[in-house]
Amino acid sequence: MLINFLQSLYDHNSSLPSEAGDYEQLIDDIEYFSISPQVYFQLKQQDRLELTPPFFQNRLKNTFNQVLIQNLFIKNQTEKILSIFDELGIPAIPLKGV
């Protein structure tokens, strides 16, 4: 079911599931694979989020916001660390973003 749902996210002609029970199973799978923020972003970008049940929207949005706040914190802390390295003359190259 998850694979079909993900395919429908990238095929605008495909319809999303219509049964609330499908979304209960989907949210469990989405959270298991930790892809809630990506799914939320895709649905929002395509203006299809409102086609899903409210409980599904809320769970995706809550996880999206948690990850956003965490990423902003990590970015801020990384910038502070790199600034201190700069002041001390320690060369550093961040290899991975947030």
Side-chain angles (χ1 to χ4, degrees), residues 24-51:
E24 290 174 8
Q25 182 182 354
L26 277 171
I27 197 68
D28 290 340
D29 291 343
I30 288 168
E31 288 176 347
Y32 177 79
F33 290 106
S34 301
I35 58 172
S36 295
Q38 293 88 346
V39 170
Y40 177 80
F41 179 79
Q42 284 296 323
L43 287 169
K44 186 98 167 141
Q45 186 178 39
Q46 299 170 12
D47 292 325
R48 294 170 79 187
L49 185 63
E50 291 74 29
L51 301 175

Side-chain angles (χ1 to χ4, degrees), residues 45-78:
Q45 186 178 39
Q46 299 170 12
D47 292 325
R48 294 170 79 187
L49 185 63
E50 291 74 29
L51 301 175
T52 63
F55 80 90
F56 185 79
Q57 295 173 30
N58 292 335
R59 295 259 299 263
L60 291 177
K61 184 177 181 178
N62 288 341
T63 305
F64 177 85
N65 287 335
Q66 288 173 354
V67 170
L68 177 65
I69 290 167
Q70 180 182 17
N71 285 346
L72 289 172
F73 176 75
I74 292 170
K75 182 178 184 255
N76 177 274
Q77 295 301 307
T78 301

